[in-house]
Amino acid sequence: MTVTIVPASITDALFLAHASWRPILLRGLHAVMAADPAYLPALAVDDYLPTQGRLFAAFALPLAQVRHVLVGEGPYPRAESATGVCFMDGAVGSLWSATGLSKPVNRATSLRNFMKMLLVADGQLQGGDTSGAAMAPVAAAAQLPESGVIQTLPDLQRKMTEQGFLLLNAALVFRAHVPPVQDARGWLPFLQVVLEALAQQGGAALPQLVLWGKIAELIKRLPVAAMLPQVTAEHPYNLSFIGNRDMQALFGPMQLLRA
Protein backbone atom coordinates (compact mmCIF):
# COMPACT_ATOMS: atom_id res chain seq x y z
CA MET A 1 0.00 0.00 0.00
CA THR A 2 1.37 3.42 -0.97
CA VAL A 3 2.03 5.79 1.92
CA THR A 4 0.15 9.06 1.38
CA ILE A 5 0.51 10.70 4.79
CA VAL A 6 2.99 13.55 5.05
CA PRO A 7 5.52 12.65 7.78
CA ALA A 8 4.85 14.40 11.08
CA SER A 9 8.38 15.79 11.29
CA ILE A 10 7.67 17.68 8.06
CA THR A 11 4.23 19.00 9.03
CA ASP A 12 5.52 19.99 12.48
CA ALA A 13 7.79 22.50 10.74
CA LEU A 14 4.74 24.44 9.55
CA PHE A 15 4.57 26.16 12.94
CA LEU A 16 7.17 28.73 11.82
CA ALA A 17 5.02 29.73 8.84
CA HIS A 18 2.45 32.51 9.21
CA ALA A 19 -1.07 31.19 9.75
CA SER A 20 -2.16 32.54 6.35
CA TRP A 21 0.29 30.15 4.68
CA ARG A 22 -0.23 26.93 6.62
CA PRO A 23 -3.19 25.44 4.71
CA ILE A 24 -1.50 26.34 1.42
CA LEU A 25 1.79 24.75 2.44
CA LEU A 26 -0.03 21.63 3.56
CA ARG A 27 -1.67 21.41 0.14
CA GLY A 28 1.77 21.82 -1.37
CA LEU A 29 3.11 18.94 0.70
CA HIS A 30 0.22 16.77 -0.44
CA ALA A 31 1.09 17.71 -4.03
CA VAL A 32 4.64 16.48 -3.43
CA MET A 33 3.26 13.22 -2.03
CA ALA A 34 1.01 12.80 -5.05
CA ALA A 35 3.89 13.37 -7.47
CA ASP A 36 6.39 11.15 -5.62
CA PRO A 37 5.04 9.29 -2.57
CA ALA A 38 8.56 8.26 -1.55
CA TYR A 39 10.21 11.70 -1.50
CA LEU A 40 9.03 13.22 1.80
CA PRO A 41 9.15 9.97 3.82
CA ALA A 42 12.75 9.47 2.68
CA LEU A 43 13.59 13.07 3.50
CA ALA A 44 12.06 12.79 6.97
CA VAL A 45 14.51 10.07 8.01
CA ASP A 46 17.51 11.68 6.32
CA ASP A 47 19.97 14.33 7.48
CA TYR A 48 19.21 17.66 5.85
CA LEU A 49 19.57 21.39 6.30
CA PRO A 50 18.06 23.60 7.61
CA THR A 51 17.79 22.12 11.09
CA GLN A 52 15.71 23.20 14.12
CA GLY A 53 12.39 22.90 12.31
CA ARG A 54 13.16 25.83 10.00
CA LEU A 55 12.07 24.13 6.78
CA PHE A 56 9.30 26.70 6.17
CA ALA A 57 10.84 29.67 7.99
CA ALA A 58 10.65 31.80 4.83
CA PHE A 59 6.86 31.79 5.09
CA ALA A 60 6.81 33.93 8.22
CA LEU A 61 5.85 36.81 5.90
CA PRO A 62 2.03 36.90 5.65
CA LEU A 63 0.60 35.86 2.30
CA ALA A 64 -1.08 39.22 1.69
CA GLN A 65 2.20 41.11 2.13
CA VAL A 66 4.16 39.28 -0.59
CA ARG A 67 5.14 41.52 -3.51
CA HIS A 68 8.26 39.72 -4.73
CA VAL A 69 9.24 36.06 -4.66
CA LEU A 70 13.02 35.74 -4.71
CA VAL A 71 14.00 32.17 -5.57
CA GLY A 72 17.57 31.05 -5.01
CA GLU A 73 19.07 27.61 -5.46
CA GLY A 74 19.10 26.01 -2.03
CA PRO A 75 20.15 26.36 1.62
CA TYR A 76 23.74 27.05 2.54
CA PRO A 77 25.61 23.74 3.00
CA ARG A 78 26.59 24.61 6.59
CA ALA A 79 24.33 24.03 9.59
CA GLU A 80 25.17 27.37 11.18
CA SER A 81 24.38 29.18 7.92
CA ALA A 82 21.21 27.46 6.68
CA THR A 83 18.24 29.33 8.16
CA GLY A 84 15.39 28.28 5.88
CA VAL A 85 15.36 31.78 4.40
CA CYS A 86 16.99 32.20 1.01
CA PHE A 87 20.27 34.07 1.11
CA MET A 88 20.19 34.80 4.84
CA ASP A 89 23.33 33.24 6.30
CA GLY A 90 22.84 32.52 9.99
CA ALA A 91 26.59 32.75 10.58
CA VAL A 92 26.63 36.42 9.57
CA GLY A 93 26.02 39.16 12.11
CA SER A 94 27.73 42.44 11.30
CA LEU A 95 27.90 43.46 7.65
CA TRP A 96 30.91 45.72 7.99
CA SER A 97 34.51 45.68 9.18
CA ALA A 98 37.23 48.30 9.49
CA THR A 99 38.48 47.51 6.00
CA GLY A 100 35.29 46.71 4.09
CA LEU A 101 32.69 43.99 4.41
CA SER A 102 32.98 41.71 7.43
CA LYS A 103 34.80 38.39 7.17
CA PRO A 104 31.58 36.34 7.42
CA VAL A 105 30.06 38.38 4.57
CA ASN A 106 33.15 37.90 2.44
CA ARG A 107 33.05 34.19 3.15
CA ALA A 108 29.45 34.04 1.90
CA THR A 109 30.29 34.82 -1.73
CA SER A 110 26.69 35.36 -2.82
CA LEU A 111 26.01 37.79 0.01
CA ARG A 112 29.25 39.66 -0.67
CA ASN A 113 28.34 40.15 -4.33
CA PHE A 114 24.77 41.13 -3.44
CA MET A 115 26.06 43.78 -1.05
CA LYS A 116 28.43 45.13 -3.68
CA MET A 117 25.61 45.22 -6.24
CA LEU A 118 23.52 47.28 -3.81
CA LEU A 119 26.43 49.67 -3.26
CA VAL A 120 26.92 50.08 -7.02
CA ALA A 121 23.18 50.66 -7.48
CA ASP A 122 23.33 53.28 -4.71
CA GLY A 123 26.27 55.07 -6.34
CA GLN A 124 28.63 54.34 -3.46
CA LEU A 125 30.84 52.08 -5.60
CA GLN A 126 31.77 52.17 -9.25
CA GLY A 127 30.85 49.02 -11.14
CA GLY A 128 34.36 48.59 -12.46
CA ASP A 129 36.03 48.85 -9.06
CA THR A 130 34.58 46.99 -6.09
CA SER A 131 37.95 45.99 -4.66
CA GLY A 132 38.97 46.09 -1.02
CA ALA A 133 40.60 49.47 -1.51
CA ALA A 134 37.36 50.87 -2.89
CA MET A 135 35.32 49.25 -0.12
CA ALA A 136 37.34 50.63 2.80
CA PRO A 137 36.04 54.23 2.78
CA VAL A 138 32.50 53.02 2.09
CA ALA A 139 32.63 50.73 5.13
CA ALA A 140 34.15 53.44 7.31
CA ALA A 141 31.36 55.83 6.40
CA ALA A 142 28.71 53.15 6.92
CA GLN A 143 29.83 52.59 10.51
CA LEU A 144 29.64 56.21 11.59
CA PRO A 145 26.91 56.77 14.20
CA GLU A 146 25.05 59.18 11.93
CA SER A 147 25.44 57.09 8.77
CA GLY A 148 21.84 55.91 8.56
CA VAL A 149 23.11 52.60 7.17
CA ILE A 150 22.02 49.15 8.33
CA GLN A 151 24.65 47.28 10.32
CA THR A 152 23.64 43.61 10.43
CA LEU A 153 22.29 40.87 8.20
CA PRO A 154 19.07 40.66 10.26
CA ASP A 155 18.65 44.36 9.41
CA LEU A 156 18.92 43.50 5.72
CA GLN A 157 16.43 40.66 6.07
CA ARG A 158 14.00 43.02 7.80
CA LYS A 159 14.40 45.58 5.02
CA MET A 160 13.72 42.96 2.37
CA THR A 161 10.63 41.62 4.11
CA GLU A 162 9.37 45.19 4.51
CA GLN A 163 9.60 45.40 0.72
CA GLY A 164 7.46 42.27 0.49
CA PHE A 165 10.14 39.73 -0.39
CA LEU A 166 9.32 36.08 0.13
CA LEU A 167 12.83 34.63 0.29
CA LEU A 168 12.57 31.07 -1.02
CA ASN A 169 14.93 28.42 -2.30
CA ALA A 170 14.07 26.21 -5.26
CA ALA A 171 15.30 23.30 -3.15
CA LEU A 172 14.02 23.76 0.40
CA VAL A 173 16.67 21.39 1.73
CA PHE A 174 20.36 20.66 1.35
CA ARG A 175 21.66 17.11 1.63
CA ALA A 176 25.36 16.44 1.19
CA HIS A 177 24.74 13.21 -0.73
CA VAL A 178 21.94 14.46 -3.01
CA PRO A 179 22.49 16.81 -5.98
CA PRO A 180 20.66 20.10 -5.27
CA VAL A 181 18.87 19.94 -8.61
CA GLN A 182 17.38 16.57 -7.59
CA ASP A 183 15.92 18.04 -4.41
CA ALA A 184 14.74 21.10 -6.34
CA ARG A 185 12.77 18.87 -8.70
CA GLY A 186 11.21 17.14 -5.71
CA TRP A 187 9.83 20.45 -4.43
CA LEU A 188 8.42 21.70 -7.75
CA PRO A 189 4.84 20.50 -7.02
CA PHE A 190 5.01 22.33 -3.69
CA LEU A 191 6.18 25.54 -5.36
CA GLN A 192 3.43 25.25 -7.96
CA VAL A 193 0.84 25.35 -5.16
CA VAL A 194 2.62 28.26 -3.43
CA LEU A 195 2.77 30.35 -6.60
CA GLU A 196 -0.83 29.52 -7.51
CA ALA A 197 -1.91 30.92 -4.16
CA LEU A 198 0.01 34.12 -4.85
CA ALA A 199 -1.33 34.41 -8.39
CA GLN A 200 -4.88 34.11 -7.08
CA GLN A 201 -4.47 36.80 -4.45
CA GLY A 202 -5.73 39.59 -6.65
CA GLY A 203 -4.78 43.15 -5.82
CA ALA A 204 -3.25 45.91 -7.89
CA ALA A 205 -0.27 43.89 -9.09
CA LEU A 206 0.79 40.27 -9.10
CA PRO A 207 3.92 39.35 -7.14
CA GLN A 208 7.08 39.36 -9.22
CA LEU A 209 9.31 36.31 -9.49
CA VAL A 210 13.00 37.08 -9.04
CA LEU A 211 14.88 33.99 -10.19
CA TRP A 212 18.56 33.53 -9.40
CA GLY A 213 20.70 30.82 -10.95
CA LYS A 214 20.10 27.78 -13.10
CA ILE A 215 18.19 25.76 -10.52
CA ALA A 216 15.79 28.63 -9.87
CA GLU A 217 15.02 28.64 -13.59
CA LEU A 218 13.32 25.28 -13.05
CA ILE A 219 10.48 27.43 -11.74
CA LYS A 220 9.87 28.62 -15.30
CA ARG A 221 8.68 25.12 -16.16
CA LEU A 222 5.75 25.39 -13.78
CA PRO A 223 2.43 26.22 -15.45
CA VAL A 224 1.78 29.02 -12.96
CA ALA A 225 5.06 30.79 -13.78
CA ALA A 226 3.63 32.24 -16.99
CA MET A 227 0.98 34.03 -14.93
CA LEU A 228 3.52 36.02 -12.90
CA PRO A 229 5.90 38.81 -13.95
CA GLN A 230 9.49 37.70 -13.62
CA VAL A 231 13.09 38.79 -13.84
CA THR A 232 16.07 36.44 -13.95
CA ALA A 233 19.75 36.79 -13.18
CA GLU A 234 22.84 34.71 -12.77
CA HIS A 235 23.32 33.44 -9.24
CA PRO A 236 25.02 36.03 -7.00
CA TYR A 237 28.01 33.74 -6.45
CA ASN A 238 29.01 34.87 -9.97
CA LEU A 239 31.09 38.04 -9.94
CA SER A 240 29.11 39.34 -12.92
CA PHE A 241 26.05 39.67 -10.66
CA ILE A 242 27.53 42.88 -9.22
CA GLY A 243 27.14 44.58 -12.59
CA ASN A 244 23.74 43.12 -13.50
CA ARG A 245 21.70 46.13 -14.62
CA ASP A 246 18.35 44.39 -14.13
CA MET A 247 19.20 43.67 -10.50
CA GLN A 248 20.48 47.20 -9.96
CA ALA A 249 17.26 48.59 -11.43
CA LEU A 250 15.12 46.33 -9.24
CA PHE A 251 16.90 46.74 -5.93
CA GLY A 252 18.40 50.22 -6.23
CA PRO A 253 15.19 52.21 -5.61
CA MET A 254 14.45 50.11 -2.51
CA GLN A 255 17.51 51.50 -0.70
CA LEU A 256 17.90 48.32 1.29
CA LEU A 257 21.08 49.54 2.96
CA ARG A 258 19.34 52.54 4.49
CA ALA A 259 18.29 52.03 8.10
Side-chain angles (χ1 to χ4, degrees):
M1 181 177 176
T2 302
V3 176
T4 57
I5 298 174
V6 180
S9 63
I10 302 293
T11 56
D12 286 349
L14 293 172
F15 82 98
L16 282 183
H18 188 268
S20 60
W21 276 112
R22 289 173 195 162
I24 297 164
L25 302 186
L26 190 57
R27 290 204 308 272
L29 291 171
H30 287 149
V32 173
M33 292 295 294
D36 182 358
Y39 179 77
L40 290 177
L43 180 65
V45 297
D46 205 350
D47 291 325
Y48 65 85
L49 300 176
T51 57
Q52 302 176 35
R54 294 176 293 180
L55 189 57
F56 305 113
F59 294 94
L61 181 67
L63 174 66
Q65 294 181 21
V66 176
R67 297 193 294 277
H68 308 275
V69 184
L70 195 159
V71 185
E73 294 191 343
Y76 288 104
R78 303 176 296 276
E80 68 274 16
S81 296
T83 62
V85 180
C86 170
F87 199 54
M88 294 298 149
D89 188 330
V92 175
S94 176
L95 295 171
W96 311 101
S97 73
T99 57
L101 296 170
S102 69
K103 286 184 179 180
V105 171
N106 279 321
R107 183 187 180 203
T109 305
S110 299
L111 178 58
R112 178 191 68 205
N113 290 342
F114 183 71
M115 287 287 295
K116 289 185 175 182
M117 182 276 293
L118 293 179
L119 289 166
V120 171
D122 197 42
Q124 297 186 57
L125 285 177
Q126 297 300 312
D129 184 10
T130 61
S131 64
M135 279 296 308
V138 173
Q143 294 174 89
L144 293 173
E146 68 277 11
S147 71
V149 174
I150 62 171
Q151 298 298 309
T152 69
L153 188 60
D155 289 338
L156 179 59
Q157 182 174 340
R158 172 182 54 81
K159 291 286 290 186
M160 294 188 77
T161 55
E162 286 174 354
Q163 290 289 334
F165 274 94
L166 183 64
L167 300 170
L168 290 182
N169 283 306
L172 270 69
V173 298
F174 172 81
R175 294 185 282 178
H177 59 285
V178 177
V181 68
Q182 182 176 325
D183 271 319
R185 290 191 183 108
W187 286 99
L188 283 175
F190 175 87
L191 294 176
Q192 169 72 18
V193 172
V194 166
L195 297 181
E196 282 176 349
L198 289 167
Q200 294 165 6
Q201 273 291 96
L206 290 171
Q208 179 185 43
L209 289 174
V210 183
L211 305 177
W212 285 353
K214 295 296 184 183
I215 294 180
E217 289 193 26
L218 287 172
I219 304 300
K220 289 185 175 181
R221 302 180 187 177
L222 297 175
V224 70
M227 300 170 58
L228 298 169
Q230 53 190 265
V231 59
T232 61
E234 66 270 51
H235 196 278
Y237 56 60
N238 294 287
L239 195 62
S240 59
F241 181 87
I242 298 171
N244 188 297
R245 297 295 181 87
D246 290 337
M247 293 297 99
Q248 292 172 12
L250 173 64
F251 288 102
M254 298 179 187
Q255 296 195 313
L256 297 177
L257 297 179
R258 302 296 176 182

